[in-house]
Each structure stands twice: as structure tokens, then as C-alpha cells.
Amino acid sequence: MIHVDEALKLVLDSSSELGIEVVNLSDAIGRFLAEDIYADRPIPPFDRVTMDGIAILHASYKDRTTPFRIEAIGPAGSPQLTLMKPENCIEIMTGASLPKGTDTIIRYEDLERVEDTFYIQSEISQGQNVHHKGSDHEEGVILLHRGLEIKAIDVNILASVGKTKISVLKMPKVAVISSGDELVEVDQVPKDYQVRKSNVYMISARLRQLNLPSQTFHFKDDEEGILNEVERVLEEFDVLLMSGGVSKGKFDFIPAILEKLGFEKLFHRVAQRPGKPFWFGKKGKKTVFAFPGNPVSTLACFHKYFIPWLHKTLGKDQPQLNVVLSEDVSFKPNLTYFAQAMVAQGEDGRYFAKVRHGKGSGDIVSPSMMNGFVELPQGPELYKAGEMYRFMPFYPLFK
Ligand code: AMP
Ligand code: MG
């Protein structure tokens, strides 16, 4: 049995990138850039007018009595106009190109109009209300760096530089597999001694939040059958998230089968609760997380190991959230304890965790009332109020 930190290190060290694929702009959100994105033109690409009003030559302005006759009107989207007489003005709209022969924009709010002539009512300065060509970024500079997780605001940039196809890191193809002869499908009525399989749906749902599509499978507790099924699933998927069949029971065949199939066992059994029987191994680029079947154990292992592994595979560090215990927590076994907790922000801005022990790893309802696990490291038997520990949310806390 190994320590949680050692297990996590083995999981992270085993991760490797899965290559690159090209996606459409509309599918880029949440993906990780595999290329640098350059400015195809200066930003802004021309001297852009930023207010509706008039364009003038600043040198022509003396005071409030200086008349500016309208020479033309320039809507956004029309080619650049030219002011013919420097004492005149061009009515100009936000987003239009600054007319040649002008250098300053006066907004309508600061103007008085008498027939076809404007008079400026406020102090002005040369160059005001013009967003100069290239003043934000020059052509050819990198706007988005490879490795970036694409957010909506980045989609704006991708669109503005004309990227319809984007190179991104491949996401792992994930198979979520339940095992156990006591499990029946969700739409079936279980016999007295059966339960509906729920784990796989919980995991696929959580994977969807992580932008990972997945497919679910079910294996019977039958050695021969599992062996064939695993081989078949491995042909198509990069990662197997298995649940059940890794403990010490007579029908817990999974570890032996995986080793028979040539998987390197990186560890089996971790000094933690819940999720002690967790098995983890690799064969080439294929990775298997074999979680114990109890839903709360699966949930803990998924968050503690799979999510950081995913981040690492995508070249990212896992964001860390630390929380303060609001009450003492006593836990005697010499194991790391993933304690279910409700976390809320205190008046001082820190996050406080209130631990609730639940009724064990088979209690599937308790986590729904909590919002994550506090990780209480192996060692002390008492974790004191005011101490700070890592927190693993069950779901994205901020939308
Ligand atoms: P196991 O890890 O196979 O020994 O299973 C431990 C417990 O978790 C048993 O009570 C199983 O019935 C339950 N269990 C296993 N897999 C699932 C699943 N996919 N959904 C819900 N419960 C499960
Ligand atoms: Mg089982």
C-alpha cells in the first residue's frame, strides 16, 4: 500500500500528450491550443473612429464660434473618405475609418448643429476618439500562446484573425466501465439482491463538464469475458475508467486480468479512505484507472487522480484550492482521509470547510449535500479548526 502523494506522483509521471487535431472555431471552446495565434493585420487594422460625431482637422478649430460645415457622411464599413476643405467636417460613425485630412473626432454630445454646420461646445484635444492603427498590437505578433485553454474571449480573438480551423491538443478518448453481477441497467427493476449501476453515469456526466465525451460499458464478473472485452475496448480508447472488481473479493478479477494483458501495475492499494483498493497501470499510451466500485470511492479517486492526470496530459497544472477547517475533525486510521465537506466563503474572503462524515463509501446521497472533499493527510488523528487543507470540488464551483 502506498502513500497518496506517491500514488499521485506515479499517476502524473505516467501522463503524456496524445497529439494534435484540428477543430472548427465553433468547437474550440475549452480545448487547448497546439499552435501560436498571430495577428494577421495590425490591431486595430486602420485608424478607427470610436465615437459617433464629426471628424475635423484639429488645427482648424479656434473656439466655440468656429463653424464646421458638413462635407460628407461616413458610415462604418465604407472606404476611407477624404476631407476636401480643412475648415469643413465629415459626419462619421463609430467603427469607420478616420477620413484623410482629419485627425480628431468630436462626439455629437459635444456639438451644436445649426442647419448644415456644427459648432464645438467642449474642450477638445488633438487625436481624441481615434483608436490608432496598430496601437494595440502590430501585425505578426503572437496574440495567443500554444497551451492556452481556449475561453470565450479567446474565441473572439481567433475569429478576428480569421481562424476557422484551429490546432488543438487531442483529448483522451475515455471508456467508463462498470463491473459486477449485482448491477442492472437504470431502466430495469432490480431484484432484491441487485442495484442499478449508477457510477458510470456519474463519471460520464462529470467528464462532460470537463469537455470529454465518453462511452460507457459494463463487464460481467467473468474472467474470460472481461479479458476479451478489455482488449476490444482498448482498441478504441486511450483511457479506461473502470469501477468495481479491484478489492480482495473472490470475483475481483480486474487487476489480475490487466496484468495478464501486459499492463504495468504502477500501484494497487493506496493509504486513503475512501478508495483504498484503487489500481492504476499503463501499457504503452493506454492508461487504466481501476477504481473501487463504491460510488463515493470512485468519486474520490476520480477527483484526486484522474482530473490532475487530465490536466497534466493537457500540459497544465491542476488549480489548487485551499480551505480552512471550521471545526476540529478527528480521524484515527493511519490513512489520508478524503472528508466530504461543505465549503463556503467567510467574511474575510477565506473559504471554510464544514466536514460531514457520511455513512461510509456506499452512502451515495451524502455527497450531494456537500460540494467536495477536503484532503486530510495521513498522520495526525486530529485536524484542528483553523488549519488549512486542500479541497477538491465535486463540480465546477464557479460557472
Ligand atoms: P466492488 O468494488 O466491485 O467490490 O464493489 C463495491 C460496492 O460498490 C458494491 O456494493 C457494488 O455493488 C457497488 N458498485 C460497484 N459498481 C457500481 C456501479 N457501477 N454503480 C453503483 N454501485 C456500484
Ligand atoms: Mg464487484
Side-chain angles (χ1 to χ4, degrees):
M1 192 156 69
I2 65 170
H3 191 278
V4 164
D5 294 345
E6 205 184 325
L8 181 63
K9 186 172 182 316
L10 285 166
V11 168
L12 295 180
D13 287 350
S14 81
S15 80
S16 53
E17 280 188 12
L18 296 161
I20 288 170
E21 66 183 341
V22 174
V23 294
N24 291 325
L25 178 64
S26 53
D27 297 322
I29 187 81
R31 302 301 298 269
F32 291 80
L33 269 180
E35 59 173 329
D36 291 329
I37 302 296
Y38 296 89
D40 66 330
R41 314 159 73 193
I43 302 179
F46 49 84
D47 289 335
R48 186 179 71 90
V49 170
T50 65
M51 289 285 175
D52 298 318
I54 59 169
I56 63 159
L57 182 66
H58 185 263
S60 301
Y61 169 77
K62 308 241 156 13
D63 56 32
R64 285 168 174 254
T65 65
T66 317
F68 287 95
R69 268 198 74 226
I70 303 165
E71 211 180 85
I73 297 181
S78 63
Q80 188 185 30
L81 296 173
T82 301
L83 186 68
M84 298 302 175
K85 292 190 179 159
E87 69 274 21
N88 285 349
C89 71
I90 290 176
E91 268 197 271
I92 198 84
M93 306 304 136
T94 303
S97 176
L98 182 73
K100 269 188 209 149
T102 72
D103 57 6
T104 302
I105 305 296
I106 324 297
R107 46 181 205 154
Y108 283 124
E109 293 89 323
D110 297 330
L111 296 171
E112 194 175 301
R113 181 175 181 156
V114 181
E115 292 171 354
D116 61 352
T117 302
F118 281 108
Y119 297 88
I120 299 170
Q121 302 299 299
S122 66
E123 292 297 305
I124 65 166
S125 58
Q126 190 181 15
Q128 72 180 28
N129 302 327
V130 180
H131 190 190
H132 285 284
K133 176 177 177 175
S135 60
D136 292 348
H137 297 279
E138 287 168 17
E139 181 178 334
V141 300
I142 297 180
L143 301 174
L144 302 174
H145 289 265
R146 62 168 56 221
L148 178 86
E149 180 175 0
I150 300 170
K151 304 171 293 300
I153 193 65
D154 305 317
V155 172
N156 191 54
I157 296 170
L158 292 167
S160 75
V161 301
K163 291 289 287 183
T164 52
K165 305 273 180 194
I166 298 125
S167 280
V168 294
L169 294 183
K170 268 192 186 156
M171 299 294 251
K173 291 189 76 182
V174 185
V176 186
I177 305 165
S178 54
S179 67
D181 289 351
E182 74 281 28
L183 302 174
V184 299
E185 253 315 332
V186 180
D187 58 3
Q188 288 176 19
V189 180
K191 303 210 166 69
D192 289 350
Y193 49 87
Q194 295 176 320
V195 289
R196 293 190 183 94
K197 59 175 165 176
S198 52
N199 263 356
V200 280
Y201 298 106
M202 168 177 73
I203 295 299
S204 333
R206 191 70 181 89
L207 288 169
R208 259 177 81 164
Q209 288 182 318
L210 296 165
N211 222 2
L212 279 181
S214 62
Q215 210 172 309
T216 56
F217 297 88
H218 180 74
F219 296 171
K220 287 273 178 204
D221 284 331
D222 158 54
E223 256 184 300
E224 188 65 22
I226 297 177
L227 198 122
N228 295 333
E229 292 284 292
V230 173
E231 275 194 307
R232 192 173 61 86
V233 175
L234 278 172
E235 282 170 19
E236 224 190 301
F237 293 87
D238 304 303
V239 189
L240 274 46
L241 297 185
M242 307 184 79
S243 73
V246 293
S247 308
K248 293 193 163 160
K250 278 266 178 302
F251 304 94
D252 291 335
F253 299 130
I254 306 281
I257 290 172
L258 291 168
E259 283 164 51
K260 206 165 164 183
L261 284 169
F263 272 84
E264 180 192 358
K265 174 183 85 175
L266 289 163
F267 59 81
H268 186 195
R269 296 167 65 77
V270 187
Q272 64 180 40
R273 182 175 295 166
K276 189 156 61 168
F278 175 32
W279 185 100
F280 177 76
K282 255 200 111 160
K283 183 180 173 187
K285 286 208 151 197
K286 309 281 179 177
T287 307
V288 174
F289 293 77
F291 304 135
N294 267 314
V296 188
S297 311
T298 309
L299 192 68
C301 292
F302 179 86
H303 286 87
K304 176 65 191 173
Y305 303 103
F306 175 75
I307 294 185
W309 176 90
L310 178 66
H311 277 88
K312 185 80 190 300
T313 301
L314 298 168
K316 294 273 144 202
D317 286 331
Q318 161 94 354
Q320 294 294 345
L321 175 60
N322 291 320
V323 297
V324 178
L325 287 186
S326 61
E327 292 164 1
D328 287 356
V329 178
S330 155
F331 181 73
K332 297 260 168 17
N334 190 23
L335 302 169
T336 292
Y337 180 33
F338 298 120
Q340 294 170 42
M342 183 50 121
V343 159
Q345 197 169 20
E347 278 173 13
D348 61 1
R350 292 187 300 166
Y351 285 90
F352 287 87
K354 196 167 168 20
V355 165
R356 196 187 124 126
H357 291 288
K359 294 193 198 93
S361 52
D363 175 5
I364 59 168
V365 180
S366 164
S368 170
M369 290 175 261
M370 304 289 108
N371 51 17
F373 290 113
V374 189
E375 179 175 339
L376 302 173
Q378 184 176 355
E381 293 186 353
L382 185 68
Y383 305 85
K384 297 214 182 73
E387 291 174 352
M388 199 177 259
Y389 295 101
R390 287 245 159 97
F391 186 68
M392 299 186 290
F394 297 150
Y395 51 86
L397 288 179
F398 308 105
K399 284 259 162 74

